[in-house]
Amino acid sequence: MFLTRHAEARQRQRSIPSYVIAATYAFGSDHAVRGSLTAYTLDRQAVELAQESYPASVGKALNKYLGVYLIIGDEGKIVTVARGRCRPTHH
């Protein structure tokens, strides 16, 4: 998992921990965007999968980051990191 300088800057600016990026990259749902780019999103299913692999405290903390997404370039590098626009609702 390699972040470009732009992605590293966005990670710092948006206060997204490295473990959230790793979980999103490993377990996030993916879909194609703009040509050869791919987006990985941390959704509820990804959090459930991550909770099986991470310690309970980290798995629980991931819920706070639902909607985080990564844009992956054609070389496999993470181009940018951002939070989704809509916040999850509690039912």
Side-chain angles (χ1 to χ4, degrees):
M1 181 176 74
F2 179 79
L3 279 77
T4 61
R5 279 192 221 158
H6 175 81
E8 289 174 347
R10 295 299 174 259
Q11 177 188 5
R12 283 190 305 275
Q13 290 170 345
R14 296 168 177 159
S15 301
I16 300 173
S18 295
Y19 70 86
V20 174
I21 293 173
T24 304
Y25 191 77
F27 304 106
S29 58
D30 63 321
H31 61 280
V33 292
R34 293 193 184 165
S36 61
L37 300 177
T38 305
Y40 287 82
T41 304
L42 186 69
D43 54 15
R44 291 188 191 282
Q45 183 179 11
V47 170
E48 289 174 11
L49 290 171
Q51 286 175 337
E52 296 172 7
S53 301
Y54 285 93
S57 60
V58 173
K60 196 172 185 180
L62 287 173
N63 283 310
K64 192 167 82 170
Y65 296 96
L66 281 171
V68 163
Y69 63 90
L70 314 174
I71 302 295
I72 312 297
D74 54 357
E75 296 176 4
K77 296 177 183 176
I78 299 174
V79 177
T80 196
V81 180
R83 293 176 186 257
R85 291 185 183 175
C86 53
R87 289 285 193 195
T89 57
H90 298 280
H91 297 282

